[in-house]
Structure formats: C-alpha cells, structure tokens
Amino acid sequence: MVSARSAKRIIDIVGAASLLVLCSPVIAAIAVAILVTDGRPVLFRQVRPGRHGEPFTLIKFRTMRDPHPGEEPWTTDEVRTTRLGRFLRRTSLDELPELALVLTGRMSLVGPRPLVMEYLPRYSAHHARRHEVRPGITGLTQVSGRRSLTFGQRLDLDVEYIDTWSLRLDLTILLRTLAEPFRRGEIVGQTPADVDDVGLVPPALERIP
C-alpha cells in the first residue's frame, strides 16, 4: 500500500509534468517577452536551502532589473520591478520554472517557500523545522494573507503546515492558490522579509524571532 508521503511525491511528479506540458506555450511566451522587453537573463537563479537545509539552485522568471549604481538592492524593489515583472508576480507565473525542480525532487508543489541561505543560522530551533520537508512552490503562508503577516507569523505557519500535514491539506492549498492571483493586489514595495520574492538580505538584519 502506498504511504501518504509516497503519494505526495507521486502527485508532485504527475502534477509538475502535466503542468509543464500544459503550460509550455505560456512558458515559451513569457521567456520571449522577457527577452524582448528586458533582455537577458530570462531566469533568476539563486542558491536556497532545501530539505534539511541542503543547498539547491532556485530558478524563476526574472522580474527585476539589476540595481543601478547607488541603489540598495533591498530598498529599491518597487523601482526595479519591471512592468512585465509586476504582472508575472501578481499572477505567480514567475514561479513556473520551479516545476522542473519539483520533477527533480528539489522542491514540492506544496511546502514552505525556500528563503535564503543567510537565514539558516538565524532561525530559532522551532522555526528551523520548516526545513524538515521539501520547499514548495506554494504553501500555507502563501494562501493565508502573507502580505499582512509578520515574518515570524509566516514562519509559524510553515511549522504549522508540517505539524498538520495531510494530502487533503495539500489539495486545499493548491485550490486556494489558483484563486490567489485574482484576490491580491500588485506585489511591489517589498520589505527584507519578502525574500521569497526578491532573494536579498540586508547585512544588518537581526536574528529571526
């Protein structure tokens, strides 16, 4: 008999493969649009902690230009986010390349969002538990009003997901994720806590509560 955890992995493989095939025209169109409007690179790449904190390279569609001289990367997101990038973030289409990482087992369709490596030594023992599972393309935090939550509350939801996990919960999160682009406003003016989107950490950031 297939265990629930094994079933989750099967769902990840079948779901990611199906979505990659179905969304291939959209993926190609987005790649061309980024090349035409913003140039190279098409993808944003950054090393993030995966399951058990093991590093892997996250890939997303690029949504921001590089900082100009004198621009602080973590305080100029609104200025540097491109018009196309705002649309991709609002609709979560910038996450589509991550489906390939689900196929390779580095990510899951549902799980805590992978943040940045610099946070690893700053987590409390409680919040470090978010790395007990594969990081996800979407998660409980992403469908629970993440922009209205403090960073600590987001991490608490990640741990809550692990403690209450079930296939039914994953399905609920996936269904709620489909509705998110129609409910939230444009994602601009992010703070350092929004590193799941911008991938940057200011040097003076204090220890995560």
Side-chain angles (χ1 to χ4, degrees):
M1 185 176 180
V2 177
S3 68
R5 291 292 179 182
S6 297
K8 176 178 172 69
R9 181 62 187 141
I10 293 171
I11 292 171
D12 277 348
I13 293 172
V14 174
S18 300
L19 287 171
L20 279 172
V21 172
L22 291 173
C23 296
S24 56
V26 176
I27 292 172
I30 292 172
V32 171
I34 293 174
L35 278 174
V36 171
T37 60
D38 304 316
R40 297 179 183 276
V42 170
L43 296 177
F44 167 79
R45 292 181 171 87
Q46 189 177 57
V47 176
R48 301 284 181 95
R51 189 180 185 187
H52 305 312
E54 182 180 346
F56 75 100
T57 300
L58 180 80
I59 54 174
K60 302 171 63 171
F61 280 122
R62 182 167 64 91
T63 58
M64 292 191 294
R65 61 168 174 80
D66 292 333
H68 290 159
E71 288 184 336
E72 294 289 348
W74 50 83
T75 60
T76 57
D77 302 329
E78 182 174 356
V79 175
R80 295 190 300 112
T81 302
T82 65
R83 180 178 298 180
L84 175 60
R86 287 186 175 90
F87 169 76
L88 294 178
R89 290 188 184 184
R90 187 172 66 248
T91 58
S92 296
L93 291 173
D94 60 322
E95 312 283 355
L96 286 177
E98 295 174 18
L99 291 170
L101 297 175
V102 175
L103 284 179
T104 62
R106 305 303 293 179
M107 294 185 68
S108 177
L109 292 177
V110 182
R113 283 294 300 168
L115 301 182
V116 291
M117 298 298 295
E118 287 85 349
Y119 277 176
L120 285 178
R122 304 178 184 185
Y123 289 117
S124 66
H126 174 69
H127 288 153
R129 293 189 55 221
R130 69 191 309 277
H131 298 112
E132 292 178 4
V133 298
R134 291 184 180 92
I137 294 179
T138 186
L140 184 59
T141 297
Q142 283 62 48
V143 298
S144 300
R146 61 176 178 171
R147 299 292 158 185
S148 62
L149 301 172
T150 67
F151 196 30
Q153 288 172 328
R154 299 182 199 185
L155 298 180
D156 285 338
L157 283 172
D158 290 339
V159 178
E160 179 182 334
Y161 168 78
I162 292 171
D163 288 339
T164 61
W165 176 82
S166 68
L167 291 176
R168 181 176 181 178
L169 177 59
D170 273 8
L171 178 59
T172 300
I173 292 172
L174 287 171
L175 291 175
R176 290 175 62 183
T177 298
L178 294 176
E180 281 299 299
F182 304 99
R183 293 195 301 171
R184 66 188 186 212
E186 291 192 16
I187 301 173
V188 293
Q190 289 144 323
T191 66
D194 296 323
V195 291
D196 57 322
D197 292 308
V198 301
L200 297 169
V201 181
L205 189 66
E206 297 180 356
R207 180 179 175 83
I208 299 171

